[in-house]
Amino acid sequence: MACEHAPGGGAAAPASATRYILRSRLLRGAFLSLVISGIGMSITAPQITLFLVEELHLTDSQAGLYFLTNLIAPITGYIVGSLSDRMGSRLLVFRISAVAGFVGWALMAVAMQAWMPFAINMVLLSGAGAGAAQLQAAVRDELNRAPTPADNGVVAVMRTAMAFGWVVGPVLGAVLGAMLGLRPLLFLTGLSILLSIVPLIGARAVPPPRGRESEIRMPQTDEALGEDAFEAEGDAPAASAPASAPAVRTARRRSMVPLLFFTAIYVLIMCGETVKLAYLPLYMDRGLHVDAAVRGAIIGLQPLVELPLMLLAARLADRFGVTRVLMVGAVMAVGAHVSYASAAGIEPHIAPLIVGQLLMAGVIATFGVLGITVAQRLLPDRVGTASSVFLSAYAINAALGGFVGSVGAAWLGMPHLFWIPAAIAALGAVALVVLGRLVPLGRTERR
């Protein structure tokens, strides 16, 4: 009979991730900060295009170019993550980035020239997003310092914090935007990012390990990466340790190739989410003539389902292994876009859309929870860099998804344009199989 084990090696009863979060000042503060950040960012995200068109008088095409500035995010993420790894203070980097985010959104609220939002997003807001990733790195440092039987569950709960913010934020943003106007709404976004510092006042994060060698502590339920997998060029094989040596693993400085490969896989699997957000509401409105209330219910179904599925994904990863759960998520991504693309030929037409939303919720639940964990394990001696680089994929998804949607809409029309992200997600699934064979991503030990 399969049995799960705690880090100490003995059998453990199912552990509550919430209990470990409540016990830790750092984890409690990080959770609340992520909720506040998620609400702040999501109240503006659906309104930014409207602001560019109505307040700065850009055309629809010019407003779409704004999202291309997100392509600077991977570069900023690498710089901020490397700074976090070197400084030895994740929270300091997070606080500096939060202040930069506040300044950026405050400047956006008073912008009068069309070029200003583009410059502000590249210089200030990209840094704010990369800084938020350092909270995930601080959580991983804490779990490495004091592993729990529910590490995957803790990460899952942290991810639900952002998801909760994105459930509440768009509704709140629509109401506040109508009441206050778009410019005050942008300022409120900056204020919320600044307020995300408050829950972490007094919290102390574990200093990240520095140098070429660092002790990497992983729960027994996860398979450590091979010592020689994708080693940095020029590293010589380590001599075999004597049998009497302590059971402490040291990792040489690793190559970033596996991390970049995994991040690229995530982009392939998730780029269709931007296509869906842009074109599914249009298809339901213009193609199916669905009532606004029904459209809102179908779009809002996904984030509601994501919350419980994130916790389920963590439990399944503990039981069946990270790689298997991620593969299921990749297959669900293909299925979701196939469902959207098939809507025109199935009665009632909204049924495949609902199925697609449920499948896409599973995709985000699996990769949203487990993706950051895998990324951090692929670069365990630079967790801050790993977190920022992986989470910068969100910005790449937005840019790539916008391009794919534009080409698909002109070439295939709606809803057939969703065959393109289905094919791209299938390519990502194949690439995930290849990476899983080259580098073990994690497994559950059994007896």
Side-chain angles (χ1 to χ4, degrees), residues 218-226 377 439-445:
M218 292 291 179
Q220 291 291 329
T221 53
D222 293 308
E223 181 178 59
L225 297 174
R377 291 174 187 171
V439 181
L441 303 179
R443 65 171 174 82
T444 299
E445 294 186 352

Side-chain angles (χ1 to χ4, degrees), residues 27-353:
L27 297 182
R28 288 198 313 272
F31 178 85
L32 293 175
S33 291
L34 289 171
V35 170
I36 296 172
S37 295
I39 293 175
M41 292 302 300
S42 60
I43 63 175
T44 297
Q47 312 289 336
I48 188 65
T49 303
L50 192 62
F51 167 75
L52 295 172
V53 172
E54 291 192 355
E55 298 290 336
L56 297 182
H57 310 295
L58 273 67
T59 65
D60 291 350
S61 299
Q62 290 171 337
L65 295 176
Y66 169 82
F67 297 99
L68 293 180
T69 60
N70 290 332
L71 292 176
I72 199 70
I75 300 173
T76 307
Y78 178 80
I79 294 172
V80 173
S82 298
L83 181 65
S84 171
D85 290 330
R86 290 190 175 96
M87 286 181 61
S89 177
R90 310 275 192 218
L91 297 187
L92 177 59
V93 174
F94 166 70
R95 289 170 182 134
I96 294 173
S97 298
V99 172
F102 168 72
V103 173
W105 284 110
L107 290 175
M108 190 84 80
V110 298
M112 301 303 295
Q113 300 295 323
W115 61 268
M116 293 180 66
F118 295 81
I120 292 168
N121 195 36
M122 288 190 294
V123 176
L124 292 172
L125 300 185
S126 62
Q134 298 314 304
L135 285 185
Q136 302 287 350
V139 169
R140 173 50 56 190
D141 290 338
E142 179 69 12
L143 294 177
N144 286 345
R145 182 190 67 82
T148 76
D151 279 10
N152 283 331
V154 170
V155 175
V157 172
M158 291 297 171
R159 297 297 290 166
T160 63
M162 288 291 287
F164 175 78
W166 278 86
V167 169
V168 175
V171 178
L172 189 61
V175 174
L176 293 176
M179 291 174 55
L180 304 176
L182 295 175
R183 290 184 183 274
L185 187 67
L186 297 183
F187 184 79
L188 284 177
T189 293
L191 187 61
S192 68
I193 292 175
L194 188 63
L195 289 176
S196 68
I197 297 175
V198 174
L200 287 164
I201 293 176
R204 301 182 64 182
V206 180
R210 287 179 286 182
R212 284 186 59 82
E213 295 189 355
S214 59
E215 181 179 338
I216 307 299
R217 299 181 179 180
M218 292 291 179
Q220 291 291 329
T221 53
D222 293 308
E223 181 178 59
L225 297 174
E227 288 280 352
D228 299 318
F230 289 96
E231 286 185 41
E233 205 172 322
D235 281 342
S240 300
S244 59
V248 176
R249 298 177 59 251
T250 56
R252 292 181 293 276
R253 191 172 184 84
R254 296 178 188 264
S255 166
M256 287 188 63
V257 172
L259 171 65
L260 296 177
F261 192 9
F262 182 67
T263 302
I265 290 171
Y266 180 69
V267 170
L268 293 176
I269 289 172
M270 288 299 300
C271 74
E273 176 70 359
T274 301
V275 180
K276 183 205 73 179
L277 290 174
Y279 291 96
L280 190 60
L282 288 177
Y283 174 62
M284 287 191 289
D285 181 28
R286 299 175 183 177
L288 300 181
H289 306 291
V290 175
D291 290 340
V294 177
R295 293 200 306 268
I298 292 175
I299 296 298
L301 174 65
Q302 179 180 314
L304 288 176
V305 177
E306 286 171 16
L307 296 176
L309 286 184
M310 284 181 176
L311 302 178
L312 176 62
R315 290 184 177 274
L316 292 176
D318 287 336
R319 184 172 180 82
F320 299 107
V322 170
T323 305
R324 291 179 180 177
V325 176
L326 288 179
M327 275 306 308
V328 171
V331 171
M332 286 193 291
V334 178
H337 297 302
V338 169
S339 295
Y340 300 140
S342 304
I346 298 177
E347 294 282 354
H349 297 309
I350 65 171
L353 304 184

